[in-house]
Amino acid sequence: SSSSPAHPFTQQLMLLLAVLLLDLAPALGGHPSDSSRSSNCTEGTLNVTVTRFFSAFAADSCDTWLEAFTGDAIFLHPKFPEGVHGTEELREFCQTIRSSGAPNLWRQDGDMLVTSSGGLCSLLIPYVWGTWDKASNNITINSGYESLQLRPSDETVDGAHRFDYLIMHGIELFSRSAIPFSFD
């Protein structure tokens, strides 16, 4: 179902709130072991995790997508008001979104903004997601921002670091459009 777009001022206010929350998170008790770590929050060190976050959701299994998160990650999404907490709920979230079987695309849609503080990396990433709803014959498009907070990863696979950073917290902000579509 489509919803009416938020007032532009409301969207700007939500974006400002997301940025402020990311900047305040370390002071509010970010990952305890990270306070003494220095971080190297550059696009180069973050790209593997960010690429996995976007590309694996639609292309691979949900388990592959989950590799980008800490085991206790929290993801806040407008369609899940209680939030999505930890590996099992993230897996259910992924499976629920993918369950329609409809083709979908989710990708980064511009340069990310990066802030390094308290040993953590805070990102604000524009994105676009689209799918075709076979039942209504609508193309649905969400565009907005992913606000992510990452911590350095100590996790290894076969003795090597798979990701330099893992996602601890995420907030998805978007507006939605549904467009009637016909192949005729």
Side-chain angles (χ1 to χ4, degrees), residues 4 17-18 28 76 88 103 108 121 125 141 144 150 154 171 175 179 181:
S4 60
L17 177 61
L28 297 173
L76 304 177
E88 288 309 311
Q108 184 173 340
C121 301
I125 308 168
I141 300 168
L150 292 78
D154 332 6
I171 303 170
S175 61
I179 303 164
F181 182 77

Side-chain angles (χ1 to χ4, degrees), residues 80 109 134 140 164:
F80 298 82
D109 195 37
K134 295 175 189 175
T140 301
D164 290 327

Side-chain angles (χ1 to χ4, degrees), residues 90-161:
L90 282 164
R91 181 178 286 107
E92 289 174 26
F93 167 81
C94 178
Q95 291 169 342
T96 298
I97 299 297
R98 293 171 54 130
S99 68
S100 74
N104 67 79
L105 169 71
W106 190 31
R107 67 174 175 83
Q108 184 173 340
D109 195 37
D111 295 335
M112 63 178 132
L113 299 175
V114 180
T115 296
S116 174
S117 181
L120 304 175
C121 301
S122 299
L123 315 177
L124 190 61
I125 308 168
Y127 82 93
V128 64
W129 176 84
T131 189
W132 173 49
D133 181 345
K134 295 175 189 175
S136 67
N137 211 28
N138 283 340
I139 293 177
T140 301
I141 300 168
N142 292 354
S143 62
Y145 295 90
E146 296 292 344
S147 176
L148 304 175
Q149 187 170 58
L150 292 78
R151 69 163 174 78
S153 174
D154 332 6
E155 298 175 27
T156 59
V157 175
D158 297 329
H161 283 281

Side-chain angles (χ1 to χ4, degrees), residues 66 69-75 84-92:
L66 289 170
F69 292 88
T70 61
D72 60 350
I74 298 171
F75 189 63
V84 181
H85 303 263
T87 302
E88 288 309 311
E89 287 187 19
L90 282 164
R91 181 178 286 107
E92 289 174 26

Side-chain angles (χ1 to χ4, degrees), residues 31 33-34 37 48-49 52 63-73 87 90 150-168:
H31 196 272
S33 63
D34 290 334
R37 294 185 192 182
V48 173
T49 303
R52 176 64 52 100
D63 288 337
T64 303
W65 180 68
L66 289 170
E67 292 174 354
F69 292 88
T70 61
D72 60 350
T87 302
L90 282 164
L150 292 78
R151 69 163 174 78
S153 174
D154 332 6
E155 298 175 27
T156 59
V157 175
D158 297 329
H161 283 281
R162 182 171 234 162
F163 300 103
D164 290 327
Y165 292 89
L166 294 175
I167 300 166
M168 300 169 37

